[in-house]
Amino acid sequence: MRKNIKKAMVLLLSLSFLAGCGSSTYKEEKTEENTAEQSLVTVGFSQLGAESDWRNTNTISMQSTFTKENGYNLIYKNGQQKQANQITAIRTFIQQGVDYIVLAPETENGWDTVLGEAREADIPVILVDRRVNVSDKSLYSCWVGSDFELEGKKMAAWIKAYTEKMGMEPEDIHVVNIQGTIGSTAQIGRTRALANAARENGWDLLAEVSGDFTEAKGREVMAGLLKRFDNINVVYCENDNEAIGAIDAIESAGKRVGTNIHRGDIMVVSFDGVNEDSIQFCKDGKISCIAECNPHHGPRVEALIEALEDGETPEKFNYVDERMFSSVKAVTSVTVDGTLYKIEEPE
């Protein structure tokens, strides 16, 4: 692998500038430009799609990091929520001879064969956001993203602390879970955390239905759940877009969204914290609590590539730090697995 890419780029660009100021011919200038282009680190990025504001922000982070000015040639492919498209993209990257493959997988299973092909081509694979379930973990170099189950544990701890403050008994908590894309790492972790908390605390977990991380599906699912159950008082949405759709459905059904669930409100909680509407809803109390999911992975992936360029072996799993937001004053912190997490005002 090439080393000191950025230094080489600066030197080549400087030589090109000096050549342009002197009497060098057009052919010489073009040769230097081509050399500069060849020194770029080529990154093939397979993004799973554009299903949410979180995903779009994540894509922008990658595109703004892996620029020619920073020493990279980025080849971006949108998988449109189809694993088959992503597998095709990875095989295209291999044919193009990219230096690195960055993959944000739609779901965890079904990657062994294509990642094996990348390894045979000696192309390191870096996973972002979601993980893959493969028989041989050496098929990818490392992963960077969120601890989704921890996010869910923090949210469950907040629900427990808040409802206890309101004097509610565990059997009075009637929860529905609008899940993310089934089989995705975020869905698996957040769903598991809620299911475990419901069992441990004695909550009534009425239903788990996928909203595919979209506003439209969140609205549709919530409307259906309101027809099935007349006692829902907590809606656990696995991302902000689903929460926005759910709130619309609740209000369209003539019901109140808010934190006074002991007085008939339906309380909505969510994950991500990147959507302006969801942040405003949190300020207004329509979303009672948001567990942050940080989408700005571009610089983190770049740091991993730089480590690999220098012959280092980065940590296999790289977690990002994340916060919790709520305008509810009753709970100022929660403790999960011995760690204290402060609840911040939504910004």
Side-chain angles (χ1 to χ4, degrees):
M1 297 179 188
R2 294 182 296 274
K3 297 184 180 180
N4 300 318
I5 295 298
K6 292 184 179 178
K7 291 181 181 178
M9 277 295 299
V10 171
L11 176 60
L12 286 165
L13 290 172
S14 298
L15 289 172
S16 179
F17 173 78
L18 290 173
C21 293
S23 58
S24 297
T25 65
Y26 173 78
K27 182 177 180 180
E28 290 171 333
E29 291 173 357
K30 292 300 292 181
T31 299
E32 286 161 357
E33 289 176 9
N34 290 339
T35 303
E37 285 287 328
Q38 290 171 3
S39 72
L40 297 173
V41 174
T42 299
V43 177
F45 175 39
S46 174
Q47 178 64 284
L48 69 93
E51 81 287 357
S52 65
D53 294 286
W54 189 99
R55 188 65 51 195
N56 293 331
T57 303
N58 179 247
T59 297
I60 291 170
S61 176
M62 299 293 289
Q63 291 175 327
S64 62
T65 298
F66 294 103
T67 63
K68 286 183 169 58
E69 292 76 14
N70 288 340
Y72 299 96
N73 175 36
L74 178 66
I75 304 174
Y76 168 71
K77 296 292 185 181
N78 182 334
Q80 301 178 330
Q81 271 69 53
K82 294 180 180 179
Q83 185 180 36
N85 290 346
Q86 291 196 280
I87 291 173
T88 297
I90 292 172
R91 287 182 170 140
T92 300
F93 295 153
I94 294 170
Q95 292 172 356
Q96 292 172 318
V98 302
D99 297 303
Y100 295 91
I101 292 173
V102 178
L103 169 64
E106 184 202 12
T107 57
E108 292 197 350
N109 295 320
W111 299 100
D112 292 77
T113 300
V114 73
L115 294 189
E117 293 169 15
R119 183 170 65 181
E120 288 177 7
D122 198 27
I123 302 174
V125 175
I126 297 173
L127 305 178
V128 295
D129 180 33
R130 302 176 182 179
R131 296 192 190 182
V132 297
N133 181 20
V134 289
S135 57
D136 182 358
K137 287 186 169 52
S138 69
L139 290 175
Y140 61 93
S141 295
C142 50
W143 166 89
V144 59
S146 303
D147 188 332
F148 299 109
E149 187 166 0
L150 176 59
E151 290 174 353
K153 286 181 177 180
K154 290 191 291 184
M155 184 61 75
W158 186 91
I159 294 170
K160 182 175 188 291
Y162 177 74
T163 54
E164 287 179 348
K165 286 272 187 178
M166 295 301 102
M168 301 184 69
E169 297 297 326
E171 59 268 24
D172 295 328
I173 312 303
H174 307 291
V175 190
V176 293
N177 180 10
I178 302 182
Q179 301 167 293
T181 301
I182 300 300
S184 67
T185 310
Q187 177 272 315
I188 292 170
R190 292 168 186 167
T191 294
R192 182 188 295 129
L194 176 62
N196 288 341
R199 184 178 61 256
E200 292 165 3
N201 294 310
W203 299 338
D204 180 19
L205 181 56
L206 295 167
E208 299 172 309
V209 185
S210 174
D212 285 335
F213 288 130
T214 70
E215 183 175 334
K217 194 65 181 293
R219 183 183 300 108
E220 175 189 328
V221 167
M222 190 70 236
L225 290 169
L226 290 170
K227 292 177 181 178
R228 289 174 58 191
F229 306 103
D230 61 4
N231 59 342
I232 299 169
N233 53 20
V234 177
V235 183
Y236 179 100
C237 297
E238 294 191 3
N239 84 336
D240 288 340
N241 291 86
E242 291 176 340
I244 292 169
I247 289 169
D248 185 33
I250 293 167
E251 293 181 335
S252 295
K255 299 181 182 295
R256 294 195 314 269
V257 177
T259 56
N260 296 318
I261 59 175
H262 52 301
R263 296 176 182 171
D265 285 359
I266 296 178
M267 186 169 75
V268 176
V269 298
S270 76
F271 298 83
D272 284 358
V274 299
N275 183 295
E276 290 183 5
D277 289 339
S278 68
I279 293 297
Q280 188 60 52
F281 280 169
C282 191
K283 291 178 181 179
D284 297 340
K286 287 191 175 184
I287 295 181
S288 298
C289 188
I290 297 176
E292 182 185 38
C293 184
N294 193 322
H296 302 288
H297 295 334
R300 298 180 175 92
V301 174
E302 182 183 28
L304 294 171
I305 287 177
E306 288 177 343
L308 291 167
E309 284 286 299
D310 289 335
E312 300 173 7
T313 302
E315 292 290 330
K316 192 72 173 180
F317 301 107
N318 301 271
Y319 293 97
V320 299
D321 293 327
E322 295 170 330
R323 301 169 292 172
M324 293 189 73
F325 305 104
S326 178
S327 58
V328 178
K329 305 297 184 182
V331 180
T332 58
S333 65
V334 295
T335 300
V336 176
D337 298 332
T339 300
L340 181 72
Y341 298 93
K342 294 182 178 179
I343 312 299
E344 303 181 21
E345 289 277 347
E347 300 173 352

